């Protein structure tokens, strides 16, 4: 996760500083003829003194506090570290249906291949939906709502379930001695297996002219945001009672069912709010490119830069990573392609979130830095998610993002203060130990100093943050932390040097008095940094 990557980089930074100082002190002391065991214990104490021991506690309390605050904003956190990832997120991938649209899919019409209203198209679609054994989609529910009564004179003999590669579902139904394979699915999927169209009750070959007419019909509906479901049939020999994938061929296209799923009223406002927070949205959908572009334009997102699943299949992972930044809409995408898109964005250095609610979204939810789902999602999607939204809209997510950034800002406060103060103190001790005839602080005093300073920082998880800290995504800026530690550590060492001068010049202290005096000054100046 993003927080694990950040903590690991911080750990490597502290390790390098620790090795540098301890090796420097050991080498200087041994060269000056100091006792080896005393020098070794002092070097070990320096190493411990550089370690921000309270970091696990500060992180856990800060994240837990953030989880409680987010719960009041209808955002439930399943994995604490996901709060940090949510705050650091700069790209959010969303499914169109239910996130940007109402997810109330309604049947708007049913037409034949010429675009004329057709009851036959509706009846065949109803039969397919009524007899399918698997999970029914919102389109199926809309079809069955138009026909509340179960078909009585037909019976189902066999089924080829839906899958995301074929994007279609077929059933074999029988009435008397008549047997019929009825297929429904994405228009391009059904058309790839179609050899004829039905016109005025007669079958016509699917030639180039018909293909052009059908594509124009699809485009006309898609540009207005309507989704199409193609319906096709095939006669089956009398003795055949089971169908397989090989039977899903030589189909005759009957027509299309037309569905509407309008954008949410507050979707445009929520998209604008997330954009103002520095989060770039990308739509990943299984729908037709024109339908996705229509919804994107309606909610104020760029709609011209798009790519289809077919084009993605032709790209290797690194080629996809090279293109993914410049694309806003991903259309006709299957579950594995969703995962590949998320992985490509991660390769580009983005902290990626994915919001989905279907079974097919689970691989991408799991692959993202922060997986998001909603309370009404499928059990598989909720299980894969790190964060659950109790309200199915993006405005709730914006509040969670702000809380995540507040949490990260407080963690980084501790990191900056702890590393700079510890580095300054240890630098002063390392330099002083070389020139003084005694140790500037005893090992026990070093550890006590560190403990008392850490205790004074336990209020950080409950601190407020400046508005600019929540205005845009932040991640672990290790170079910035190092600069802060070096500059502030060096400034604190100047105060230490002044203290050394006063203690030695004006008080003419011995070892015990020097160690006591500097211990008190060190604690006072460190705690002053907090305020």
């Amino acid at each position: 996760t993003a927080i694990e990557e950040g903590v690991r980089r911080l750990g490597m930074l502290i390790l390098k500083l620790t090795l540098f100082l301890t090796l420097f002190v050991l080498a200087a002391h041994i060269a000056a003829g100091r006792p080896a065991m005393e020098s070794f214990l002092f070097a070990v104490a320096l190493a411990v003194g550089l370690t921000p021991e309270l970091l696990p506690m500060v992180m856990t309390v800060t994240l837990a506090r953030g989880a409680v605050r987010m719960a009041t904003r209808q955002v439930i956190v399943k994995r604490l570290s996901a709060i940090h990832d949510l705050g650091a997120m700069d790209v959010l991938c969303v499914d169109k249906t239910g996130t940007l649209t109402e997810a109330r899919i309604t049947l708007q019409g049913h037409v034949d291949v010429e675009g004329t209203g057709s009851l036959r198209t509706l009846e065949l679609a109803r039969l397919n939906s009524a007899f399918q054994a698997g999970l029914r989609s919102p389109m199926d529910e809309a079809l069955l709502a138009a026909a509340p009564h179960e078909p009585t004179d037909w019976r189902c003999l066999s089924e080829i379930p839906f899958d995301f590669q074929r994007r279609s579902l077929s059933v074999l139904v029988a009435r008397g001695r008549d047997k019929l394979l009825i297929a429904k699915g994405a228009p391009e999927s059904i058309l790839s297996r179609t050899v004829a169209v039905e016109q005025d009750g007669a079958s016509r070959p699917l030639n180039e002219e018909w293909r052009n007419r059908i594509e124009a019909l699809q485009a006309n509906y898609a540009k207005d945001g309507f989704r199409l479901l193609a319906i096709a049939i095939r006669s089956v020999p009398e003795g055949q009672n089971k169908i397989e994938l090989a039977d899903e061929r030589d189909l005759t296209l009957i027509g299309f069912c037309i569905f509407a799923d309008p954008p949410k009223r507050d979707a445009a406002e929520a998209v604008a709010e997330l954009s103002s927070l520095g989060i770039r949205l990308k739509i990943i959908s299984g729908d037709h490119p024109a339908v996705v572009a229509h919804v994107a334009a309606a909610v104020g997102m760029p709609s011209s830069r798009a790519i289809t699943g077919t084009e993605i299949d032709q790209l290797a992972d690194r080629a996809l990573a090279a293109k993914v930044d410049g694309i806003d809409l991903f259309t006709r995408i299957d579950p594995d392609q969703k995962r590949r898109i998320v992985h490509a964005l991660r390769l580009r250095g983005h902290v990626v979130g994915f919001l989905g609610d279907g079974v097919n979204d689970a691989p991408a939810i799991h692959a993202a830095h922060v997986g998001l789902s909603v309370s009404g999602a499928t059990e598989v999607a909720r299980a894969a998610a790190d964060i659950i939204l109790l309200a199915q809209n993006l405005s709730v997510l914006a509040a969670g993002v702000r809380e995540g950034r507040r949490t990260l800002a407080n963690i980084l406060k501790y990191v900056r203060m702890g590393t700079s103060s510890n580095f300054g103190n240890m630098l002063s001790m390392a330099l002083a130990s070389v020139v003084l005839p005694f140790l500037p602080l005893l090992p026990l005093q070093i550890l006590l100093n560190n403990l008392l300073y850490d205790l004074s920082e336990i209020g950080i998880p409950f601190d407020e943050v400046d508005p600019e800290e929540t205005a845009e995504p932040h991640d672990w800026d290790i170079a910035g932390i190092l600069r802060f530690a070096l500059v502030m550590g060096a400034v604190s060492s100047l105060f230490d040097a002044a203290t050394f001068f006063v203690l030695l010049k004006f008080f003419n202290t011995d070892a015990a008095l020097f160690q006591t005096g500097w211990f008190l000054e060190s604690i006072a100046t460190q705690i002053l940094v907090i305020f």
Side-chain angles (χ1 to χ4, degrees):
T1 66
I3 193 170
E4 289 169 342
E5 292 169 0
V7 171
R8 183 180 181 278
R9 295 201 304 272
L10 174 67
M12 293 302 295
L13 170 64
I14 294 171
L15 183 63
K16 290 172 184 176
L17 291 176
T18 301
L19 284 173
F20 167 74
L21 280 180
T22 51
L23 291 176
F24 170 77
V25 168
L26 268 177
H29 280 212
I30 292 173
R34 301 279 180 85
M37 181 53 68
E38 182 184 272
S39 300
F40 175 74
L41 289 175
F42 184 71
V44 169
L46 275 181
V48 174
L50 271 169
T51 306
E53 299 96 334
L54 210 65
L55 182 60
M57 189 280 282
V58 167
M59 283 178 55
T60 303
V61 173
T62 305
L63 292 171
R65 173 71 174 168
V68 172
R69 290 168 61 102
M70 288 171 73
T72 64
R73 292 166 170 80
Q74 295 186 292
V75 180
I76 304 302
V77 179
K78 289 174 58 184
R79 176 173 60 84
L80 277 183
S81 60
I83 299 174
H84 161 278
D85 299 347
L86 188 63
M89 178 178 69
D90 62 334
V91 173
L92 174 63
C93 301
V94 298
D95 189 15
K96 175 182 67 66
T97 305
T99 305
L100 301 176
T101 64
E102 294 286 355
R104 289 199 301 266
I105 294 177
T106 56
L107 181 66
Q108 297 293 302
H110 30 86
V111 298
D112 59 19
V113 291
E114 296 183 288
T116 307
S118 168
L119 283 175
R120 176 166 165 76
T121 301
L122 177 60
E123 288 299 328
L124 291 169
R126 284 173 176 174
L127 279 173
N128 182 294
S129 295
F131 285 125
Q132 73 174 74
L135 188 68
R136 286 173 177 165
S137 71
M139 285 185 176
D140 293 315
E141 299 294 348
L143 284 168
L144 295 175
H149 302 295
E150 291 287 334
T152 55
D153 51 349
W154 289 92
R155 67 186 191 279
C156 182
L157 302 178
S158 181
E159 175 185 357
I160 306 175
F162 178 87
D163 68 60
F164 290 98
Q165 280 67 47
R166 290 167 34 250
R167 305 185 67 82
S168 62
L169 182 147
S170 297
V171 295
L172 176 62
V173 296
R175 181 171 60 180
R177 301 181 65 179
D178 296 330
K179 292 181 181 178
L180 197 62
L181 182 152
I182 306 174
K184 75 170 188 292
E188 59 268 33
S189 175
I190 295 296
L191 282 168
S192 68
R193 303 178 184 85
T194 299
V195 295
V197 298
E198 187 176 273
Q199 182 189 32
D200 298 329
S203 180
R204 315 282 184 190
L206 181 61
N207 54 27
E208 195 63 31
E209 180 187 351
W210 271 111
R211 286 190 182 276
N212 292 336
R213 290 171 66 177
I214 290 169
E215 286 178 10
L217 179 68
Q218 287 186 72
N220 186 52
Y221 282 110
K223 69 180 177 60
D224 293 325
F226 291 108
R227 299 168 64 180
L228 297 186
L229 188 70
I231 310 299
I233 62 171
R234 177 181 171 228
S235 296
V236 174
E238 185 178 337
Q240 182 176 347
N241 293 318
K242 186 176 181 181
I243 53 174
E244 299 175 347
L245 283 175
D247 296 308
E248 210 173 49
R249 57 180 172 79
D250 300 336
L251 301 175
T252 298
L253 182 67
I254 303 300
F256 302 94
C257 291
I258 304 155
F259 300 88
D261 185 16
K264 291 182 177 178
R265 292 183 207 171
D266 61 349
E269 183 181 342
V271 168
E273 186 176 12
L274 287 171
S275 297
S276 71
L277 291 171
I279 298 173
R280 184 173 173 187
L281 266 71
K282 295 182 183 291
I283 299 179
I284 303 179
S285 174
D287 282 339
H288 190 282
V291 176
V292 179
H294 175 84
V295 173
V299 299
M301 286 181 60
S303 57
S304 58
R305 298 176 296 190
I307 191 172
T308 65
T310 304
E311 295 171 293
I312 289 176
D313 277 339
Q314 298 169 0
L315 299 173
D317 287 345
R318 292 204 171 274
L320 179 59
K323 295 188 67 170
V324 74
D325 271 340
I327 299 169
D328 299 299
L329 310 180
F330 299 84
T331 62
R332 291 303 192 204
I333 301 298
D334 66 37
D336 187 61
Q337 289 168 344
K338 292 181 181 183
R339 181 196 58 78
R340 286 188 63 202
I341 292 165
V342 170
H343 180 66
L345 288 165
R346 292 186 65 152
L347 284 178
R348 298 291 293 177
H350 295 290
V351 178
V352 186
F354 187 95
L355 173 59
D357 59 0
V359 173
N360 59 319
D361 294 321
I365 291 173
H366 185 73
H369 284 105
V370 52
L372 302 120
S373 192
V374 293
S375 57
T378 61
E379 188 174 344
V380 174
R382 293 198 309 271
D386 306 306
I387 290 177
I388 305 293
L389 308 181
L390 297 184
Q392 195 166 351
N393 60 65
L394 292 177
S395 57
V396 170
L397 185 58
V401 168
R402 288 192 178 90
E403 190 58 43
R405 292 178 183 176
R406 177 186 179 278
T407 300
L408 175 59
N410 280 337
I411 291 173
L412 291 181
K413 279 180 192 176
Y414 170 77
V415 169
R416 282 193 292 267
M417 285 193 286
T419 53
S420 62
S421 178
N422 289 353
F423 176 72
N425 269 3
M426 300 310 112
L427 179 64
S428 299
M429 278 188 282
L431 296 175
S433 68
V434 175
V435 298
L436 291 174
F438 50 82
L439 292 178
L441 275 185
L442 297 174
L444 185 62
Q445 287 179 305
I446 296 174
L447 301 181
L448 180 60
N449 178 302
N450 221 29
L451 175 64
L452 292 175
Y453 180 51
D454 277 346
L455 288 175
S456 67
E457 293 179 298
I458 58 176
I460 290 175
F462 307 94
D463 195 22
E464 296 299 325
V465 300
D466 296 330
E468 56 267 27
E469 294 286 354
T470 60
E472 58 185 22
H474 294 283
D475 203 356
W476 291 74
D477 179 10
I478 299 301
I481 292 172
L482 178 59
R483 284 194 303 273
F484 190 91
L486 294 177
V487 173
M488 293 299 290
V491 170
S492 86
S493 292
L494 292 177
F495 282 91
D496 292 335
T499 303
F500 296 166
F501 178 78
V502 170
L503 288 172
L504 294 171
K505 186 73 175 175
F506 295 101
F507 292 92
N508 195 24
T509 56
D510 58 10
L513 185 58
F514 181 94
Q515 291 161 350
T516 304
W518 187 41
F519 177 83
L520 294 174
E521 181 270 343
S522 175
I523 283 292
T525 54
Q526 280 184 300
I527 293 176
L528 188 63
V529 169
I530 298 174
F531 295 99

